[in-house]
Amino acid sequence: MGEEKIKEILHQAGLKYTPGRAALIDFLWRASRPLTQEEISLGLKESGLNKVSIYRALDSFLQAGLVHRLESGDRVWKFAFCGCGSRGHCHPHFICRACGKVECLTKVHLPEVAASAQGYIIEEQEVYFKGLCPGCS
Amino acid sequence: MGEEKIKEILHQAGLKYTPGRAALIDFLWRASRPLTQEEISLGLKESGLNKVSIYRALDSFLQAGLVHRLESGDRVWKFAFCGCGSRGHCHPHFICRACGKVECLTKVHLPEVAASAQGYIIEEQEVYFKGLCPGCS
DNA sequence: AATATAAACGCAACTCAATTGCGTTTAGAG
DNA sequence: CTCTAAACGCAATTGAGTTGCGTTTATATT
Ligand SMILES: [Mn+2]
Ligand SMILES: [Mn+2]
Ligand SMILES: [Zn+2]
Ligand SMILES: [Zn+2]
C-alpha cells in the first residue's frame, strides 16, 4: 500500500505516522488474511517493531475500525486489515477445523445490522463458519 | 434437573456418572446463561469439584454437544448447557459492551447451516451480536 | 459380592498470549 | 526550533487454561 494512503488512513484515525505502523498496515494489507502477533512479528522482523508495540498499534487500529480482531478457538487473536470503519465484522469468517486456517469471506456480505429487538441495541455482529476449507475437504 | 435425566444424558454421551458432573450439569442448566470456570467453581464450591476437573468435564461435554463454549472478547471462555447435540451454536449469542453480560438468544433460530459454497464444507456456525442489553440501553 | 480396568479426579507445576510499568525516543503541532 | 503527548523497547507480570502423575471411583465382568 502506498505511503501516502497510509498517512491518510492514520491521520484520519487521529494516529501518528511512524515507520513501524506503516510497515504493520502494509503487511496486514498484503496478507489479506487474519494474522497472529507471532506471524506479524516474523513478517516485520527487519522492521524490528516490538511485540508490545504491535499489540498497542493493533489495539488503536481496532478502536479506529481499521482492523478486525478474531478468536478462532485457540485463544490466539488474529488481526485482519479491513478499513470498513467498524470494530465489528462486515463479513463472515471461515475457520477450518483441519488446518486451522482462517479466511475472510469478503464476498459474503452480512446484513447491515440485524434489527434490534426487545430492548436490545445491536451495534455489531460477528459470524464464524467452521468446517473444512477447499484444501482440506 | 433430575438425577435420572442427568444419568441418561451422561450415559448417552458415553460418560460416567459422577456426583461432580451431575452437580455441574445441574448448575449449568439452572443458570441458563453462559458461565465462566470461575463462576462455576464459586457455584459448586460445596461440591468441591476441582478447577481442572471442571475444565476436563466441560471439554467432554463440548465434544458430546452438551454445552456451547463461547469467547466474548475478554479471552475467558463461557459455557452454557444446550444439549442440541452440536459442538456449534444453534442460536446466536448477545454480548453487552457495557455490562459484559452474555446471553443465549434461544428465541432466534439460526438457519440449519449456511449452504456450503466454492469447495467449503460448513459444519457449524457461531453468531455473536454485540451492543447494549435491555438493562444498559 | 468380589475383582479388574479404564475413566475421573486432585494437586502442583507449568505454559504462553497478552498486559503492565517505566524510562526513553520521536512525531508533529505551534 | 521547542515542547508535549504519543509511540516505543525492554523486563517483569498476569492469569486462563493445560499437563503430569499418582490416587480414587464408576461400572462392567466374573
Ligand atoms: Mn475479515
Ligand atoms: Mn447458547
Ligand atoms: Zn483447511
Ligand atoms: Zn448490559
Side-chain angles (χ1 to χ4, degrees):
Chain A
M1 190 184 298
E3 178 177 324
E4 284 313 311
K5 179 64 180 165
I6 293 176
K7 277 198 164 121
E8 180 192 327
I9 288 173
L10 287 172
H11 184 74
Q12 185 151 359
L15 300 169
K16 287 185 178 175
Y17 177 95
T18 68
R21 289 181 165 184
L24 176 53
I25 289 182
D26 185 56
F27 188 64
L28 288 174
W29 181 74
R30 290 202 322 269
S32 73
R33 69 177 174 90
L35 301 174
T36 64
Q37 170 271 315
E38 195 176 4
E39 291 173 315
I40 293 168
S41 283
L42 276 172
L44 298 187
K45 63 175 179 295
E46 100 180 58
S47 122
L49 191 63
N50 184 269
K51 174 182 76 163
V52 177
S53 301
I54 291 174
Y55 277 119
R56 290 198 272 230
L58 290 170
D59 274 347
S60 46
F61 295 172
L62 186 65
Q63 295 307 314
L66 295 174
V67 302
H68 295 162
R69 188 183 73 184
L70 18 154
E71 211 291 302
S72 51
D74 56 1
R75 287 177 40 88
V76 179
W77 281 338
K78 294 187 178 65
F79 299 86
F81 184 81
C82 183
C84 67
S86 160
R87 276 179 305 285
H89 297 185
C90 52
H91 51 248
H93 293 91
F94 183 86
I95 302 166
C96 178
R97 71 166 158 84
C99 67
K101 194 159 59 185
V102 177
E103 279 181 68
C104 296
L105 301 177
T106 50
K107 301 286 176 56
V108 184
H109 264 265
L110 292 176
E112 194 46 58
V113 119
S116 306
Q118 306 159 23
Y120 292 90
I121 296 177
I122 295 174
E123 297 168 340
E124 308 166 6
Q125 52 191 316
E126 210 159 310
V127 178
Y128 296 98
F129 293 134
K130 303 190 174 185
L132 294 171
C133 76
C136 292
S137 66
Chain B
M1 190 185 295
E3 180 177 323
E4 284 313 309
K5 180 64 180 167
I6 294 176
K7 277 197 163 122
E8 179 193 328
I9 288 172
L10 287 172
H11 184 75
Q12 185 152 357
L15 300 169
K16 287 186 178 175
Y17 176 93
T18 68
R21 289 181 164 182
L24 175 54
I25 288 183
D26 185 57
F27 187 64
L28 288 175
W29 182 73
R30 289 201 323 266
S32 73
R33 69 178 175 90
L35 300 174
T36 64
Q37 170 270 314
E38 195 176 4
E39 292 172 315
I40 293 168
S41 283
L42 276 173
L44 298 187
K45 65 174 178 297
E46 104 181 56
S47 120
L49 192 63
N50 184 269
K51 173 182 78 163
V52 178
S53 300
I54 290 174
Y55 276 119
R56 290 198 272 231
L58 289 170
D59 274 346
S60 46
F61 294 172
L62 186 66
Q63 295 308 313
L66 295 174
V67 301
H68 295 161
R69 188 184 72 185
L70 20 154
E71 213 292 302
S72 51
D74 56 0
R75 285 175 44 85
V76 179
W77 283 337
K78 293 186 179 63
F79 299 86
F81 184 81
C82 182
C84 68
S86 162
R87 275 178 304 286
H89 296 185
C90 51
H91 52 247
H93 292 92
F94 183 87
I95 301 165
C96 178
R97 70 165 159 84
C99 69
K101 194 159 56 184
V102 177
E103 278 181 69
C104 297
L105 300 177
T106 51
K107 301 286 175 60
V108 184
H109 264 265
L110 292 175
E112 194 46 59
V113 119
S116 307
Q118 306 159 24
Y120 292 90
I121 296 178
I122 296 174
E123 297 168 339
E124 308 166 6
Q125 50 191 319
E126 211 158 309
V127 177
Y128 296 98
F129 293 134
K130 303 190 175 186
L132 294 171
C133 75
C136 293
S137 66

